[in-house]
Amino acid sequence: MAASTNSVLTTDQLPVVVIGAGPIGLAAAAHLVERGIEPLVLEAGPAAGSAVRDWSHVRLFSTWGELIDPAAEKLLAPTGWVRPDASGYPTGGDWAERYLQPLADVLGETVRYGTTVTGVARTGRDRIVDAGRDEQPFTVHLQSADGHEERITARAVIDASGTWSIPSPMGADGLPALGEKSAADRISYRVPDLKDPAVRARYAGKRTAVVGSGASAFTALALLADLAKEEDGTHAVWILRRGIGANTYGGGEADQLPARGALGLRAKEAVEAGHASAAIGFRTQAVERDRNGRLVLIAEGGRRLDPVDEVIVLTGFRPDLSFLSELRLGLDERLQAPTALAPLIDPNVHSCGTVYPHGVNELSHPEQGVYLVGMKSYGRAPTFLAMTGYEQVRSITAAIAGDQEAAERVELTLPETGVCGGAGLFDAPDAAQSGEGGGCCAAPATLQIDIGAPATSGGC
């Protein structure tokens, strides 16, 4: 088990701390066990996949066959665990209950729940000190749910804590729009679960703004469109910082993840059927309440939209780097992703291309022995696949075990359209016309798209 700071264990005898008992963190633990290395998984929530359970109602666009890590399956097989049909598409709840929790149960006491990591450093060294730094183990500061503080040591740290805890705000400059915080009672940052009667009542018969352009926004638009078919007066206003272009709705039928392509097409149908309208070229700067308490979104330049009852902000997520502040991380200045990985996933460069499998070489930092994996490794970039994370931790655990050949070997083929969405080119005025997935018009406009409307609607 974990050693205290007074332990006489050598560094190689210490556990590898894995932060987060989500899909990638548990896969990392499974690979460490396979290599004969003790993991210690620290999960802030009360169960495995706590973040996944928050979107338990959302169906994944990856199949079961793409969501189960090979090393994890080897651990599960002797327990009588039944592997789900590889061709099925689980919800987040299915994934947590049928795979993540059984895997955590097999790992047993190596998984600790209700434990928040508040800091990671080199033992006895702040980030300034060079002397003897690489020879020191890591010290990991913890806080339990009851407020108890603890400090443990580790030979390496794999941070798979994800980005779910920090959704990006509505403001187009990356900061909360003026008035966004004070309007929190009318703003959600999650895809709504419309099967929940209370949530359904919140949006039924209401006018709701959906801010964002990725898979989560597509899902929200599709769900609200379904609700509109049943509840009169229900309407979505899709807020887009760019125009309507060829890639607005994702890869469509060209996407090698068919469910992801279909999701974008459902959003397109919602708009074309009149259940949603689109406000294009709208970069939110402020939110105000009208005399009836409804929200009015205001863009740069002062343009105001008609009042809405609710706002769903789905503009992505960002990593929590605060508890890693005493480590020497090499992060890209735009994406907050590892510097060697960032060029592969940068939406300023990529529209919908392939991210080749990557591992320890792309995920290493100046601080040896610490790795950001899973969604957190992507920083602010979109469209992370579980398969990518499983390959990441396979490579990293091989490197920790000293098997450099395996660490550098590629054991995964990823589907096309691995990077879609984000900012960058998508905000460029002429990007949609060039076919690069951006907006078509610089001037803001509100557009009700009719069936069969050209991709470059709006006067371009």
Side-chain angles (χ1 to χ4, degrees):
M1 294 303 296
S4 71
T5 52
N6 295 322
S7 173
V8 295
L9 295 176
T10 65
T11 299
D12 286 348
Q13 294 174 303
L14 295 172
V16 173
V17 162
V18 179
I19 306 174
I24 311 307
L26 292 175
H31 281 274
L32 289 166
V33 170
E34 188 175 53
R35 292 260 176 195
I37 299 172
E38 180 188 359
L40 176 61
V41 183
L42 304 174
E43 167 59 43
S50 291
V52 174
R53 293 173 192 271
D54 279 352
W55 47 270
S56 60
H57 58 292
V58 177
R59 192 166 300 280
L60 287 92
F61 49 66
S62 295
T63 65
W64 271 117
E66 298 159 340
L67 295 171
I68 296 172
D69 175 77
E73 186 170 6
K74 290 178 184 177
L75 277 183
L76 285 165
T79 69
W81 174 77
V82 178
R83 192 183 201 277
D85 178 5
S87 64
Y89 291 91
T91 63
D94 296 332
W95 201 17
E97 291 299 329
R98 299 180 63 188
Y99 170 65
L100 299 178
Q101 193 61 57
L103 177 55
D105 292 344
V106 170
L107 290 166
E109 293 183 356
T110 63
V111 182
R112 289 178 53 177
Y113 301 110
T115 304
T116 300
V117 175
T118 59
V120 182
R122 288 285 187 179
T123 301
R125 308 288 192 277
D126 63 23
R127 68 181 297 158
I128 299 175
V129 177
D130 288 335
R133 185 176 193 85
D134 291 343
E135 289 73 39
Q136 296 299 314
F138 292 95
T139 179
V140 183
H141 291 231
L142 316 176
Q143 185 173 41
S144 62
D146 63 4
H148 174 71
E149 293 183 326
E150 184 182 354
R151 184 170 57 195
I152 62 174
T153 50
R155 64 184 287 186
V157 175
I158 299 175
D159 183 355
S161 59
T163 57
W164 182 250
S165 64
I166 308 183
S168 293
M170 191 189 323
D173 57 5
L175 299 173
L178 296 178
E180 182 172 348
K181 293 180 180 179
S182 62
D185 61 317
R186 296 290 186 94
I187 300 175
S188 170
Y189 299 86
R190 309 297 189 205
V191 174
D193 181 3
L194 297 183
K195 293 181 179 179
D196 182 322
V199 176
R200 182 184 178 91
R202 179 173 179 175
Y203 298 102
K206 305 291 180 60
R207 181 176 168 88
T208 300
V210 177
V211 186
S213 60
S216 294
F218 294 163
T219 302
L221 289 169
L223 292 173
L224 290 171
D226 290 342
L227 183 61
K229 296 173 186 176
E230 302 173 5
E231 300 283 352
D232 292 341
T234 304
H235 188 77
V237 182
W238 190 14
I239 310 298
L240 289 162
R241 294 173 184 170
R242 60 186 190 273
I244 300 294
N247 291 323
T248 296
Y249 299 101
E253 294 180 358
D255 197 324
Q256 288 191 18
L257 292 176
R260 182 171 62 189
L263 189 60
L265 295 177
R266 283 192 67 196
K268 185 174 187 289
E269 291 170 3
V271 175
E272 292 177 341
H275 299 308
S277 54
I280 64 173
F282 193 95
R283 306 177 67 84
T284 308
Q285 187 175 58
V287 184
E288 294 180 356
R289 291 184 190 264
D290 67 7
R291 66 182 65 184
N292 298 315
R294 303 177 82 196
L295 301 184
V296 177
L297 274 57
I298 305 169
E300 296 172 354
R303 180 188 171 205
R304 305 166 72 92
L305 293 183
D306 291 338
V308 296
D309 300 288
E310 299 284 343
V311 180
I312 301 173
V313 180
L314 300 168
T315 52
F317 298 87
R318 53 189 61 178
D320 180 3
L321 301 170
S322 61
F323 61 88
L324 304 176
S325 62
E326 292 307 313
L327 297 178
R328 298 175 177 180
L329 302 180
L331 298 175
D332 179 73
E333 65 273 12
R334 291 162 296 183
L335 300 184
Q336 295 177 298
T339 52
L341 174 60
L344 310 182
I345 60 175
D346 188 351
N348 288 286
V349 178
H350 304 280
S351 173
C352 289
T354 298
V355 181
Y356 69 73
H358 53 274
V360 68
N361 290 336
E362 292 83 3
L363 298 170
S364 293
H365 293 273
E367 192 80 72
Q368 298 178 25
V370 61
Y371 306 95
L372 278 56
V373 300
M375 277 294 302
K376 192 160 187 176
S377 72
Y378 268 39
R380 299 192 185 196
T383 320
F384 180 81
L385 299 177
M387 292 183 293
T388 299
Y390 296 157
E391 174 67 4
Q392 288 178 341
V393 296
R394 182 206 61 79
S395 171
I396 286 169
T397 54
I400 292 173
D403 188 350
Q404 198 61 29
E405 188 277 328
E408 296 183 359
R409 185 172 64 238
V410 174
E411 296 186 4
L412 174 67
T413 301
L414 289 171
E416 296 288 337
T417 63
V419 176
C420 298
L425 286 178
F426 288 168
D427 290 328
D430 60 350
Q433 288 182 315
S434 69
E436 294 176 351
C440 98
C441 300
T446 299
L447 176 66
Q448 178 70 48
I449 305 176
D450 297 320
I451 294 177
T456 54
S457 298
C460 291

